[in-house]
Amino acid sequence: MRTGLVAVAGRPNVGKSTLVNALTGEKVAITSNVPNTTRRRIFGVANGPDWQLVLADLPGFQRPMDALTERMQETVDGSFEDVDLVLFVLSARDRIGAGDRFVAQRVFSLGVPVIIALNKIDRLKHGHVATQMKTAAALGDFHALHPVSAVTKDGVGELRDDLVQLLPEGPFLFPREQSTDLTVGERVSEVIREKALHLTRDEVPHAVTVEIDELGEKVVRAFVLVETESQKGILVGKRGATIREIGTRARPEVEKLVGHPVFLELVVKVRPKWRRDPKMLERLGL
């Protein structure tokens, strides 16, 4: 038996969560084009005949702006303890610059193998990918460098094989049937938040969080929280159109998670400055 903990690190919005989902073969983390979609450490578990790969999907490296982002960065820093290897994710579509070099200094100083995944290579010319690979290779003493597309799964199998080869011997950390450490309630709240992110823009996505009020046999009720009345108006939409659309998009995934049909009730509430309230963040598990 071989098993190991892999820290998945990188700047915000390089596709870490999408790559974790591709490697595990299941949606364990929500995704969006909004930076800092991932707010907590999420374990995604991939199993083979005699191996288990535990991927720690982490928030992106950032300069803390409030209590929420401060906790997110603390999560990142604390998650490098006792990892067996690091999957360092870069975006092939963006310039590899100072932010990536900052992450590189941190991960290459850990003393564990580092595999670089150059993500988002789909629809890019080979010459551009080759240039980005050369730049990525200069970031540190890596074990392997894989150009991949988490969306199309191109190169993901080879990347998984390389990660598995580096796993140490040891017992499985999770039951074989478990794909993540999140509870059903936490996964439901994340799915609802994901749909809200897809349907809003500007400051609203950053101010949205979801709290489950009831997770019953027939009804799932969730509070969709924002910080201002204007954000609430945007999230509710004209005659409730936006919040209804969020519910419509979320319900199939929620029903899959709970295992049966439900009535999904979403209530938008204002919680001023919740991102700066340590007690509120503790209550939300952030």
Side-chain angles (χ1 to χ4, degrees):
M1 292 287 193
R2 285 184 295 161
T3 187
L5 179 59
V6 182
V8 184
R11 289 188 298 103
N13 225 27
V14 294
K16 297 184 295 296
S17 296
T18 307
L19 186 54
V20 168
N21 291 342
L23 286 164
T24 60
E26 184 176 339
K27 182 178 178 178
V28 297
I30 66 169
T31 62
S32 81
N33 292 326
V34 178
N36 298 322
T37 294
T38 301
R39 290 174 171 169
R40 69 180 85 189
R41 181 183 63 186
I42 297 171
F43 288 133
V45 184
N47 293 296
D50 58 355
W51 55 264
Q52 183 176 81
L53 191 63
V54 181
L55 300 148
D57 184 21
L58 304 177
F61 274 77
Q62 62 190 304
R63 180 178 291 114
M65 305 294 290
D66 50 37
L68 173 60
T69 49
E70 184 177 338
R71 284 186 178 225
M72 288 163 62
Q73 188 56 46
E74 287 173 356
T75 296
V76 175
D77 293 334
S79 295
F80 289 126
E81 298 177 8
D82 301 322
V83 298
D84 297 293
L85 56 150
V86 173
L87 177 57
F88 179 19
V89 186
L90 305 165
S91 170
R93 296 181 187 173
D94 301 318
R95 179 177 174 272
I96 298 174
D100 300 295
R101 290 193 293 273
F102 178 80
V103 181
Q105 289 177 352
R106 183 77 171 89
V107 300
F108 284 110
S109 69
L110 295 173
V112 298
V114 176
I115 290 182
I116 298 175
L118 184 64
N119 192 25
K120 304 185 181 183
I121 64 168
D122 47 294
R123 301 196 303 275
L124 294 180
K125 294 181 179 179
H126 292 301
H128 177 78
V129 174
T131 300
Q132 291 286 71
M133 289 179 67
K134 184 177 179 181
T135 305
L139 290 173
D141 186 16
F142 59 93
H143 173 81
L145 195 164
H146 288 265
V148 301
S149 168
V151 171
T152 66
K153 310 296 192 297
D154 186 24
V156 170
E158 293 85 349
L159 172 61
R160 186 191 296 110
D161 291 343
D162 231 350
L163 290 168
V164 169
Q165 288 300 316
L166 293 174
L167 294 178
E169 291 186 359
F172 284 6
L173 302 175
F174 288 88
R176 186 177 287 274
E177 66 276 7
Q178 189 172 345
S179 60
T180 180
D181 64 320
L182 294 183
T183 65
V184 172
E186 289 170 335
R187 295 181 76 177
V188 167
S189 68
E190 284 288 87
V191 164
I192 296 168
R193 184 167 70 91
E194 178 186 59
K195 308 315 175 189
L197 298 183
H198 291 172
L199 288 168
T200 55
R201 56 188 175 82
D202 300 327
E203 172 58 18
V204 177
H206 300 287
V208 171
T209 194
V210 177
E211 185 177 23
I212 300 300
D213 180 57
E214 180 181 349
L215 195 65
E217 285 294 319
K218 295 182 179 180
V219 177
V220 172
R221 181 184 299 108
F223 297 141
V224 184
L225 308 179
V226 289
E227 293 187 316
T228 66
E229 288 291 340
S230 62
Q231 293 164 354
K232 177 180 177 179
I234 294 170
L235 200 59
V236 171
K238 189 176 181 179
R239 297 179 181 175
T242 303
I243 195 64
R244 279 199 305 273
E245 181 62 20
I246 291 170
T248 298
R249 295 189 184 190
R251 190 173 64 252
E253 291 186 45
V254 170
E255 291 179 337
K256 183 178 179 181
L257 287 170
V258 299
H260 52 78
V262 293
F263 174 72
L264 179 60
E265 181 183 355
L266 302 181
V267 181
V268 184
K269 292 191 172 188
V270 177
R271 290 286 185 273
K273 299 182 180 179
W274 70 261
R275 285 178 288 179
R276 300 180 182 275
D277 183 350
K279 289 184 179 179
M280 188 66 185
L281 295 174
E282 196 74 34
R283 184 169 133 189
L284 293 167
L286 297 172

